[in-house]
Amino acid sequence: MIVDCAIYRDGHRTEGPQDFSDALAEARAAGGFVWIGLHEPTEKEFDHVTQEFALHPLAVEDALKAHQRPKLEVYDDSLFLVLKPVVYEPKSDTVSSGEVMVFLGNSFVVTVRHGEGSPLAAVRRRLEDEPEMLAKGPTSVVYAIADATVDHYLDVATELQTDLEELEAEVFSPDGGGSRHIASRIYTFKRQVLEFRRSTGPLAPPLSRLAGTGAFGSPLPFVNDKARPFFRDVSDHLARVNESVEGLDRLVSDILSAHLAQMSVRQNDDMRKISAWAAMAAVPTMIAGVYGMNFDHMPELRWTWSYPAVIALMAALEVSLYRLFKRRGWL
């Protein structure tokens, strides 16, 4: 559905005709631009927008079907940018991603949003409160959306870092590391980091192209050259996010390895304890078994102190084995 449609002139929102073609013609005549926002439009709803703004059919197909990687594609009449905003759920400690598609052309911007997270109403209000930025044309909309998306990445990275520190403290606590559920929690956290990484990693090349840096230094159509420093700033923030994600991924892998090592050490300790108790139980069993064979000609069978002597021998051997195993840390 169409969430909002507005004409912007000299950095200010103005009321215009509801028809897209009339609004676009009026915006071009006045030196402004049209910004149309849609949320999960149907093919029928998007057909009118496609015809009026001459959007490329391949980009339209991507915008309707969603499930795209972050990317930037250049067509004859427009640019097509895909962003993946992320949402962090503190109750379940999960990361989910949505999608924002941006069509940038001559005096128009069309945004298509999929998912419940990251609404663009706040971005639109912030831009409308900054007429100087909005006066730079439709490129300012692309910058504002990218900037808001990457800034939220930083917030999510901070939340994940806090969760990782709690998980790390639990793994290395005296009792928490032996929990049977800790391994599943580590794997779940690693999946959240992977979901986050799928949103942030592929976005670096598109922002580099918008900033005019790296291997893609040639200017892009429909992008104001004066906006390059702003996109470079967003690209720098994204680099920080990607570094944080790399660090999170390495740390969670190290925590998993440490947890598995702890489990192996605990299992070895348990086996040593079991072996020590089995050895202590074998000594009296062996002695009692020898004297339980009921042969006639066995030493000390007729001796009055045979029974207490054997019991004392068993006790002495048990105490000696216990002290030996205790000194070696087996018990």
Side-chain angles (χ1 to χ4, degrees), residues 166-173 176-177 182 186 255 258-259 262 266:
E166 295 175 356
L167 186 61
E168 185 178 17
E170 183 176 352
V171 168
F172 291 104
S173 65
I182 195 69
I186 296 173
I255 289 175
H259 171 67
Q262 283 182 328
R266 285 190 176 93

Side-chain angles (χ1 to χ4, degrees), residues 5-7 9 13-18 26:
C5 176
I7 298 175
R9 301 189 187 96
R13 178 172 180 148
T14 61
E15 297 299 330
Q18 297 298 320
E26 183 177 332

Side-chain angles (χ1 to χ4, degrees), residues 130-277:
E130 299 179 5
E132 294 182 358
M133 176 63 69
L134 197 56
K136 298 182 183 297
T139 306
S140 62
V141 177
V142 180
Y143 159 72
I145 295 173
D147 185 54
T149 300
V150 174
D151 283 347
H152 193 59
Y153 286 165
L154 291 169
D155 297 335
V156 173
T158 302
E159 294 288 348
L160 289 176
Q161 181 65 41
T162 302
D163 290 345
L164 181 62
E165 291 174 357
E166 295 175 356
L167 186 61
E168 185 178 17
E170 183 176 352
V171 168
F172 291 104
S173 65
D175 300 326
S179 173
R180 66 179 62 184
H181 301 296
I182 195 69
S184 63
R185 287 190 57 197
I186 296 173
Y187 276 113
T188 300
F189 186 85
K190 192 170 182 65
R191 289 185 65 86
Q192 305 311 314
V193 174
L194 179 61
E195 179 68 22
F196 191 28
R197 193 173 188 174
R198 288 172 179 167
S199 300
T200 63
L203 185 58
L207 286 181
S208 295
R209 293 185 66 183
L210 289 169
T213 58
F216 306 98
S218 58
L220 292 171
F222 314 114
V223 176
N224 192 333
D225 290 339
K226 295 182 180 179
R228 286 190 174 190
F230 296 96
F231 285 113
R232 281 199 295 268
D233 181 67
V234 178
S235 183
D236 290 342
H237 290 176
L238 181 64
R240 288 173 49 196
V241 172
N242 285 328
E243 289 175 358
S244 298
V245 174
E246 290 287 342
L248 289 171
D249 189 50
R250 287 195 300 269
L251 282 174
V252 73
S253 297
D254 292 343
I255 289 175
L256 179 59
S257 299
H259 171 67
L260 295 177
Q262 283 182 328
M263 295 298 295
S264 179
V265 170
R266 285 190 176 93
Q267 289 176 353
N268 290 336
D269 288 341
D270 293 340
M271 289 303 298
R272 286 191 300 180
K273 290 179 180 179
I274 293 173
S275 300
W277 286 112

